[in-house]
């Protein structure tokens, strides 16, 4: 490989300088090498860059084309541009100090005229990525297939009314699984952006869900057949681009996976902005996934409270992230998952430096949230409050209820003869909110 000159010549690798620094291109909280509980911060947080936003995002919106112009986006052929772009990407991964990245097949390699041509392009870029991974030590957190941009997928991929499209999507995912496997990907993600409907007038909902389940079973079988050990992940989202997406949120995803015998093969990749689009908090979705032992990975971003779509912003809301980190740490962490910045620059943020400010801000916010969450857990005040709040289920008839050892007849007798009227206790919400602020703001 010829050594390319720098694509970010003015930016040095981002260093940790501590909370007091005035340098806007330094970490204030994220110290990748700091050891916490026997593991480095880098190992705890497992940050990842999303190739599609960082290196394919142009700032285009429905009202105008891209504003973000990168010097490496021109060249002899789509393939040579794809390779130079990937060189730039890996230079960025190194300078921003992320250990991981994620991609869709079509992010890294151009679509060809036929599936065979697309596959050949992908193979070339996978070889290029392999060399860059080896040279830099950056790893693949997950791969996925883009089954939503091309017009063939306008009515869905696995839920398309035409079996021909289903077959094409299967062939594409086969190749994307091969690519992810070849690059040592630690997970593989399914986000069904077009797996849903615009109107029930033209949709057989039950049949489409059956087909989606068939598709995922085929994916499980194929992944196993090639020896792929990574975790398979479903990424729920309620809507956008489709009016109604079948894996609306974690709860409906769990019901779907259980119904079709898929639950043991999948976990969830949770995205902050998808949670809020579904009318939930980020922490809610984490708690639901954790309750089912299915917390897999995080697409780290944020929505805008005033806008009703997936704005995919970098999250600097430390309070929201501290609550999320408490739930993640209590659940035992993310395992093979990580914190992937599925987040994009605003349309006017056109400088290469903005890519750095955005990511380092997100990393610092998560690092600070991680430290706050560890403090909250170590102090045990919230946990103590919860334990006390539910203590009546720890002994006596409460324990018998939890263990399902009593029924309505016994409880009826107990209340009439012995317990009488319950004495309500305060939920203490305001007290707890104040306590939380003490951790977040000191
Ligand atoms: C879109 C999704 C998408 C997935 C990967 O809203 O978040 O980016 O993460 O297909
Ligand atoms: Ni996502
Ligand atoms: Ni999203």
């Amino acid at each position: 490989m010829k050594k390319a000159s720098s694509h970010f010549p003015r930016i040095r690798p981002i260093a940790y300088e501590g909370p007091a620094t005035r340098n806007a291109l330094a970490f204030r909280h994220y110290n990748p090498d700091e050891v916490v509980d026997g593991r480095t911060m880098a190992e705890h947080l497992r940050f990842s860059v999303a190739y599609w936003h960082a290196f394919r995002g142009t700032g285009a919106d429905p009202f105008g084309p891209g504003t973000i112009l990168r010097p490496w986006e021109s060249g002899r052929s789509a393939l040579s541009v794809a390779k130079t772009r990937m060189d730039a990407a890996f230079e960025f991964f190194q300078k921003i100090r992320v250990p991981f990245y994620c991609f869709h097949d079509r992010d890294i390699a151009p679509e060809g005229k036929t599936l065979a041509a697309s596959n050949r392009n992908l193979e070339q870029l996978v070889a290029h990525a392999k060399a860059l991974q080896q040279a830099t030590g950056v790893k693949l957190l997950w791969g996925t297939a883009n089954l939503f941009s091309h017009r063939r997928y306008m009515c869905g991929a696995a839920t398309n009314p035409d079996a021909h499209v289903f077959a094409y999507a299967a062939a594409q995912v086969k190749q994307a699984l091969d690519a992810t496997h070849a690059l040592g990907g630690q997970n593989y993600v399914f986000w069904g952006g077009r797996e849903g409907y615009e109107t029930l007038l033209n949709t057989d909902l039950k049949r489409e869900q059956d087909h989606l389940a068939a598709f995922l079973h085929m994916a499980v079988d194929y992944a196993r057949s090639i020896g792929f050990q990574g975790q398979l992940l479903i990424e729920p989202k309620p809507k956008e681009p489709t009016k109604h997406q079948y894996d609306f949120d974690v709860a409906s995803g769990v019901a779907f996976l259980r119904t079709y015998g898929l639950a043991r093969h999948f976990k969830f990749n949770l995205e902050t902005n998808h949670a809020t689009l579904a009318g939930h908090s980020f922490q809610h979705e984490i708690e639901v996934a954790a309750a089912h032992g299915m917390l897999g990975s995080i697409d780290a971003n944020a929505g805008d409270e005033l806008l009703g779509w997936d704005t995919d912003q970098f999250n600097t809301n430390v309070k929201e992230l501290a609550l999320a980190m408490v739930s993640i740490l209590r659940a035992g962490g993310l395992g093979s998952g990580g914190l992937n910045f599925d987040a994009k620059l605003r349309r006017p943020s056109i400088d290469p430096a903005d890519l750095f400010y955005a990511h380092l801000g997100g990393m610092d916010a998560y690092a600070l949230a991680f430290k706050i969450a560890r403090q909250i857990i170590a102090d045990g005040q919230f946990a103590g409050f919860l334990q006390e709040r539910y203590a009546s289920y720890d002994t006596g008839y409460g324990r018998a209820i939890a263990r399902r050892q009593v029924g309505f007849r016994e409880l009826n007798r107990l209340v009439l003869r012995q317990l009488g009227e319950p004495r309500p206790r305060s939920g203490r919400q305001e007290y707890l909110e104040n306590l939380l602020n003490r951790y977040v703001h000191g």
Side-chain angles (χ1 to χ4, degrees), residues 202-219:
N202 65 14
T203 303
D204 187 334
L205 179 146
K206 171 72 165 64
R207 240 178 138 172
E208 290 200 357
Q209 295 201 359
D210 289 349
H211 297 161
L212 180 56
F215 194 91
L216 294 176
H217 273 290
M218 290 178 203

Side-chain angles (χ1 to χ4, degrees), residues 50 52-53 102-104 107 142-148 189-193 235-237 239-241 245 269 271 273-274 277 299 301 310 312 340 342-343:
W52 53 102
H53 285 312
C102 296
F103 64 73
H104 300 86
D107 299 336
W142 50 262
T144 187
N146 180 329
L147 304 178
F148 45 87
V189 164
F190 293 86
W191 172 62
E235 184 178 323
K237 186 176 184 181
K239 56 188 167 191
E240 197 216 4
Q245 202 175 303
N269 182 39
E271 182 163 321
N273 204 163
H274 297 182
L277 275 178
D299 267 5
N301 64 14
D310 199 9
D312 284 344
N340 172 49
D342 191 352

Side-chain angles (χ1 to χ4, degrees), residues 116-299:
S118 299
N119 290 348
R120 279 195 298 276
N121 289 349
L122 186 58
E123 274 158 22
Q124 287 213 35
L125 269 298
V126 165
H128 197 61
K130 201 167 198 169
L132 286 165
Q133 286 184 198
Q134 262 156 16
T136 61
V138 175
K139 299 190 177 87
L140 180 62
L141 185 66
W142 50 262
T144 187
N146 180 329
L147 304 178
F148 45 87
S149 293
H150 194 280
R151 68 192 286 276
R152 77 175 75 85
Y153 295 127
M154 66 185 184
C155 300
T159 62
N160 199 288
D162 183 353
H164 187 158
V165 179
F166 182 109
Y168 196 105
Q172 193 181 325
V173 170
K174 175 189 173 296
Q175 189 77 19
L177 275 164
D178 286 340
T180 303
H181 187 42
L183 293 172
Q186 301 192 10
N187 308 268
Y188 184 90
V189 164
F190 293 86
W191 172 62
R194 308 241 182 232
E195 312 296 19
Y197 61 80
E198 295 299 325
T199 172
L200 286 171
L201 292 173
N202 65 14
T203 303
D204 187 334
L205 179 146
K206 171 72 165 64
R207 240 178 138 172
E208 290 200 357
Q209 295 201 359
D210 289 349
H211 297 161
L212 180 56
F215 194 91
L216 294 176
H217 273 290
M218 290 178 203
V220 168
D221 292 344
Y222 183 72
R224 196 173 277 164
S225 77
I226 59 172
F228 178 66
Q229 304 280 333
Q231 175 65 50
L232 302 179
L233 299 168
I234 299 271
E235 184 178 323
K237 186 176 184 181
K239 56 188 167 191
E240 197 216 4
T242 313
K243 176 190 163 84
H244 180 97
Q245 202 175 303
Y246 291 131
D247 49 2
F248 193 92
D249 58 2
V250 175
S252 51
V254 169
F256 172 84
L257 293 171
R258 293 244 157 105
T259 302
Y260 289 100
L262 286 159
R264 76 200 142 91
H265 303 295
F266 287 88
K267 289 185 177 176
F268 289 97
N269 182 39
L270 300 178
E271 182 163 321
T272 321
N273 204 163
H274 297 182
T276 49
L277 275 178
H280 304 306
S281 68
F282 182 28
Q283 193 186 16
H284 169 93
E285 287 293 78
I286 295 169
E287 286 286 327
V288 179
H292 293 278
M294 296 169 88
L295 178 59
S297 198
I298 301 289
D299 267 5

